[in-house]
Amino acid sequence: MAMDSIVPYSVASDMLTLKEIRDQLKPTGYPVTTGDIERWIREQDLYVEKYRGDVYVSYSDILMAHKEFILDRLN
């Protein structure tokens, strides 16, 4: 019998470094700094993984925080 496991964290392929995320958001017209991303991680208590000196966070989680950032700027 096959059983699906429930993973409480993001899929590994969704995890990016802060610099990679910053570079991905640059062409959106609403670029951010790694400091902005770090602040969103703290404010929203996002899961991070540290590996070999780099901090990885879910790109999907940051996209949601980025959306809120844009909406706040437009209002």
Side-chain angles (χ1 to χ4, degrees), residues 4-31:
D4 290 336
S5 63
I6 298 174
V7 181
Y9 304 115
S10 303
V11 178
S13 63
D14 188 39
M15 302 293 277
L16 298 175
T17 66
L18 304 184
K19 291 177 184 175
E20 291 171 327
I21 292 172
R22 179 199 64 205
D23 293 343
Q24 290 288 321
L25 295 176
K26 196 175 291 186
T28 65
Y30 295 93

Side-chain angles (χ1 to χ4, degrees):
M1 177 168 124
M3 184 167 132
D4 290 336
S5 63
I6 298 174
V7 181
Y9 304 115
S10 303
V11 178
S13 63
D14 188 39
M15 302 293 277
L16 298 175
T17 66
L18 304 184
K19 291 177 184 175
E20 291 171 327
I21 292 172
R22 179 199 64 205
D23 293 343
Q24 290 288 321
L25 295 176
K26 196 175 291 186
T28 65
Y30 295 93
V32 297
T33 65
T34 53
D36 292 327
I37 298 167
E38 290 170 343
R39 181 172 37 83
W40 299 338
I41 291 169
R42 281 191 312 276
E43 289 174 355
Q44 298 184 18
D45 194 28
L46 300 178
Y47 173 75
V48 297
E49 186 71 39
K50 295 180 182 176
Y51 180 71
R52 294 187 179 183
D54 289 322
V55 176
Y56 290 79
V57 64
S58 167
Y59 185 53
S60 299
D61 289 345
I62 296 300
L63 284 177
M64 296 302 293
H66 187 250
K67 179 184 87 169
E68 292 175 16
F69 167 75
I70 293 169
L71 291 174
D72 285 346
R73 291 186 72 186
L74 295 176
N75 290 328

